[in-house]
Amino acid sequence: MKTLLTLLLLLCSADLFAQIPPPGDTKNTEYFIDSMPVPYTALSEVLPTDIARASVMKYTGKLATGHNNAVYFETKQFVRNRYWLIFSQDAGYRSIVPEPGADAQVVYILNDKVLKDNPEADLSQVNSHTFKELKVIDKAALVQQYGVKGKKYGVVVHIEK
């Protein structure tokens, strides 16, 4: 359990975890993995390398469950499924990425930032409210516009900040 929390600290910013109650003080906090409520003990079953995003919500009142705080974890697979459902509405994207995770030959560019390794953390910001547009570019345009080599396609995504 301590190893999980230590690795999560490395993955996320220090201020995020400054709000999490210390282990053992979980009675005022509700935990969620991929939008599903889970007991605190379930966190030990998730590998830190599988987590794309973690966030903490502090409430001045109480949640419906009687808790004051909520900690949300989203796995990389959950995030991939979400952005694939949104992006696959575009026929060009769907033709090069026919299913979630089948994007080995793709580099994502989010708001002009090239996402080279493990793009799920940045793409976790994509949802039906933030998504604005998507454009698929070929290898030549990818090299010319972004200097990226070694991938067949670029997927340029714009979201609201």
Side-chain angles (χ1 to χ4, degrees), residues 75-139:
T75 63
K76 290 178 180 179
Q77 184 61 48
F78 182 80
V79 169
R80 276 193 295 269
N81 289 340
R82 181 176 58 224
Y83 71 72
W84 185 85
L85 285 171
I86 294 168
F87 296 169
S88 66
Q89 300 303 306
D90 180 275
Y93 179 82
R94 196 172 50 254
S95 71
I96 63 169
V97 183
E99 60 187 36
D103 54 2
Q105 291 300 315
V106 170
V107 65
Y108 292 96
I109 297 103
L110 179 63
N111 291 345
D112 297 319
K113 175 186 173 190
V114 176
L115 309 178
K116 291 191 178 182
D117 296 317
N118 299 314
E120 296 88 0
D122 289 302
L123 291 175
S124 69
Q125 301 171 66
V126 175
N127 62 49
S128 60
H129 301 291
T130 61
F131 179 71
K132 288 172 44 180
E133 64 181 341
L134 173 139
K135 179 181 175 186
V136 175
I137 59 176
D138 64 14
K139 187 176 187 175

Side-chain angles (χ1 to χ4, degrees), residues 2-158:
K2 288 182 182 180
T3 303
L4 173 66
L5 290 176
T6 302
L7 290 172
L8 287 174
L9 283 170
L10 294 173
L11 292 174
C12 300
S13 70
D15 355 300
L16 177 69
F17 283 95
Q19 299 178 35
I20 294 179
D25 182 19
T26 60
K27 61 185 167 200
N28 290 321
T29 303
E30 186 163 10
Y31 297 89
F32 296 83
I33 297 175
D34 295 340
S35 299
M36 299 297 296
V38 297
Y40 177 76
T41 55
L43 299 180
S44 65
E45 298 172 16
V46 179
L47 295 174
T49 55
D50 290 340
I51 295 173
R53 182 180 189 164
S55 56
V56 175
M57 302 296 284
K58 292 187 76 68
Y59 297 97
T60 53
K62 290 196 182 282
L63 296 166
T65 56
H67 297 96
N68 295 77
N69 308 302
V71 180
Y72 299 90
F73 296 96
E74 289 184 337
T75 63
K76 290 178 180 179
Q77 184 61 48
F78 182 80
V79 169
R80 276 193 295 269
N81 289 340
R82 181 176 58 224
Y83 71 72
W84 185 85
L85 285 171
I86 294 168
F87 296 169
S88 66
Q89 300 303 306
D90 180 275
Y93 179 82
R94 196 172 50 254
S95 71
I96 63 169
V97 183
E99 60 187 36
D103 54 2
Q105 291 300 315
V106 170
V107 65
Y108 292 96
I109 297 103
L110 179 63
N111 291 345
D112 297 319
K113 175 186 173 190
V114 176
L115 309 178
K116 291 191 178 182
D117 296 317
N118 299 314
E120 296 88 0
D122 289 302
L123 291 175
S124 69
Q125 301 171 66
V126 175
N127 62 49
S128 60
H129 301 291
T130 61
F131 179 71
K132 288 172 44 180
E133 64 181 341
L134 173 139
K135 179 181 175 186
V136 175
I137 59 176
D138 64 14
K139 187 176 187 175
L142 185 59
V143 171
Q144 181 182 18
Q145 294 174 25
Y146 297 97
V148 175
K149 298 177 182 176
K151 298 288 185 175
K152 280 186 169 181
Y153 303 99
V155 176
V156 182
V157 179
H158 288 97

